[in-house]
Amino acid sequence: MTGTYAKPGKYTQEGYLLCEKEINDKGGLLGRKVRFVVYDDKSEPPTAIKLYEKLITEDKVELVMGPYSSPVTNAASTVSEKYKKVMMASLAATTSIWERGFKYLFMTISPAEVYLEGLVDLAVERGLKTIAVINEDTLFSKAAAKGTIELAKKKGMQVVFHEAYPKGTTDFSALLIKIKALNPDVIAAGSYFDDAVATTRQMKELDVNPRMYGVTVGGDLPEFHQLLGKTAEYVYGSSQWEKGLPYPRIKEFVANYEKMWNREPVYHSAAAYGACQIYAEAIKRANSLESDKIREQLLKLKMTTAFGEYQVDERGFQVAHKMVLHQWQDGKKVTVWPSQVAEGKPLYPTPPWLRR
């Protein structure tokens, strides 16, 4: 996997391939072995369109799983819809993707707009009043920022800054200097992995000191702390899944994943695995590979996998799955929200960089 979204894309691929192995170990699907055909879309929507055309028209695949990220899924799903292939989108979160009237596209994860709900909730609980929001200027990140702003305003916070930056930005100093001058209580970043790392590192360099700081995508990956070390401490990250959550077969999933890939799964792995399990269940119930019969099953299916709950509305839009928020504490991710599944309390307030 290459491009801006390479790291979560690789975890996504690993989740798919574990699911493939487990289905085949149990005899396959409808009596046949499952084989994934995987290409690298380079994190580029135009490349994904070409590859999905190739998958369907040249490779003659019978079923289609989604790529990683909202921008790439948004593009790739135009192809699957054209050929009336059900696409189980494992890692696309932007609501607008499901507002195009597509019949054959199904969502697995919670929508982008609620990624930082936990950060806002915890900030309000602590009496914080002001928030600054930044985001990559692409589909998911814009939706995540918009949702965060709406949640913050609804809960009485003042949004003192909001600005988007182009995909591929590496220097955030101009943005951060403007935010530093406003001294907000909270900084929320609609990010992916590379920009989440760069933003956090440059906040330290510029001595930007919010009382809470959280990112959407990237903060959940182990590589975030591996690259940043102590600089990652106290940072909040949103996650669709953590291994301590009370879902069925979650321990078995984690053990099998670690055995197969020699590392722990992250939420991208679990979402891909869960999407594959849901798709397989719908196919079994349909007893067919015909798109309309599978679609009918996916629309009425209610299911809990190792990834969590699945249920969609008439658009194929996810309505059951729940987000969590974690914080890096002593090199570990600790789930701190919601309280029903929290592993520990948030370390608060975040000390200034000079005191860490």
Side-chain angles (χ1 to χ4, degrees):
M1 298 296 109
T2 60
T4 306
Y5 312 139
K7 281 190 172 55
K10 181 64 176 170
Y11 281 110
T12 303
Q13 180 187 17
E14 292 175 356
Y16 282 156
L17 295 182
L18 174 60
C19 180
E20 175 196 78
K21 179 182 183 303
E22 290 188 4
I23 289 173
N24 289 335
D25 286 347
K26 294 177 181 174
L29 194 55
L30 303 186
R32 296 164 57 186
K33 294 289 185 184
V34 174
R35 184 173 71 87
F36 271 74
V37 180
V38 181
Y39 293 115
D40 178 8
D41 59 39
K42 302 178 182 177
S43 310
E44 297 170 350
T47 304
I49 288 174
K50 293 176 185 173
L51 290 173
Y52 274 83
E53 281 278 356
K54 176 174 170 25
L55 283 165
I56 294 171
T57 63
E58 295 180 30
D59 299 327
K60 306 291 185 186
V61 299
E62 293 170 293
L63 305 166
V64 179
M65 298 294 296
Y68 175 73
S69 85
S70 285
V72 182
T73 302
N74 190 56
S77 58
T78 61
V79 181
S80 54
E81 189 73 11
K82 181 173 71 174
Y83 291 103
K84 297 184 177 180
K85 292 281 188 186
V86 171
M87 174 183 280
M88 198 69 210
S90 58
L91 284 146
T94 306
T95 300
S96 63
I97 295 175
W98 276 269
E99 292 176 340
R100 298 175 296 173
F102 283 14
K103 285 181 63 179
Y104 300 99
L105 182 64
F106 288 83
M107 190 177 187
T108 306
I109 58 180
S110 299
E113 288 81 359
V114 299
Y115 260 64
L116 289 173
E117 181 181 4
L119 185 76
V120 172
D121 267 11
L122 291 177
V124 171
E125 280 179 19
R126 283 154 183 76
L128 302 185
K129 302 293 185 185
T130 58
I131 184 169
V133 180
I134 60 174
N135 63 275
E136 183 185 88
D137 194 14
T138 56
L139 202 60
F140 162 79
S141 302
K142 284 195 289 189
K146 181 173 180 283
T148 303
I149 289 169
E150 288 176 355
L151 286 166
K153 286 181 176 177
K154 188 177 177 182
K155 289 179 177 290
M157 293 188 77
Q158 183 186 1
V159 180
V160 295
F161 183 86
H162 175 219
E163 195 166 313
Y165 52 84
K167 180 181 177 182
T169 296
T170 57
D171 183 357
F172 297 89
S173 56
L175 261 180
L176 293 173
I177 287 169
K178 284 191 270 188
I179 292 174
K180 184 177 181 178
L182 294 167
N183 192 29
D185 293 328
V186 182
I187 297 178
S191 60
Y192 283 100
F193 178 77
D194 290 343
D195 44 342
V197 170
T199 305
T200 306
R201 185 177 283 135
Q202 290 169 31
M203 280 176 62
K204 180 182 180 183
E205 292 168 357
L206 294 166
D207 197 31
V208 181
N209 286 298
R211 300 176 80 178
M212 294 179 69
Y213 162 56
V215 301
T216 52
V217 179
D220 60 294
L221 299 183
E223 290 90 340
F224 186 78
H225 200 282
Q226 290 164 10
L227 280 171
L228 291 171
K230 290 184 178 178
T231 302
E233 294 291 316
Y234 297 93
V235 177
Y236 296 87
S238 50
S239 179
Q240 296 273 357
W241 174 91
E242 292 298 329
K243 65 179 183 180
L245 293 172
Y247 298 142
R249 293 190 62 248
I250 193 167
K251 290 183 180 176
E252 182 183 343
F253 161 69
V254 172
N256 290 343
Y257 188 95
E258 290 176 349
K259 183 179 179 183
M260 187 166 179
W261 300 113
N262 198 30
R263 61 175 175 172
E264 286 189 358
V266 299
Y267 89 67
H268 308 86
S269 326
Y273 176 85
C276 176
Q277 294 281 318
I278 293 160
Y279 206 170
E281 180 62 26
I283 292 164
K284 285 178 196 169
R285 295 188 184 198
N287 194 29
S288 170
L289 296 181
E290 290 180 30
S291 292
D292 286 310
K293 291 182 178 178
I294 298 170
R295 175 178 180 272
E296 183 182 340
Q297 294 299 322
L298 283 169
L299 283 172
K300 63 184 181 184
L301 185 62
K302 297 179 183 177
M303 183 176 178
T304 305
T305 69
F307 178 63
E309 295 180 344
Y310 167 86
Q311 185 183 352
V312 296
D313 64 15
E314 67 282 357
R315 299 169 294 171
F317 184 83
Q318 184 59 229
V319 295
H321 190 74
K322 304 297 182 188
M323 298 288 303
V324 298
L325 185 79
H326 62 77
Q327 184 186 38
W328 284 101
Q329 300 180 359
D330 293 327
K332 295 180 180 177
K333 277 190 298 179
V334 178
T335 301
V336 295
W337 180 95
S339 58
Q340 300 93 317
V341 296
E343 299 170 307
K345 294 187 179 299
L347 298 179
Y348 177 85
T350 303
W353 293 107
L354 293 174
R355 292 187 202 162
R356 296 192 208 177

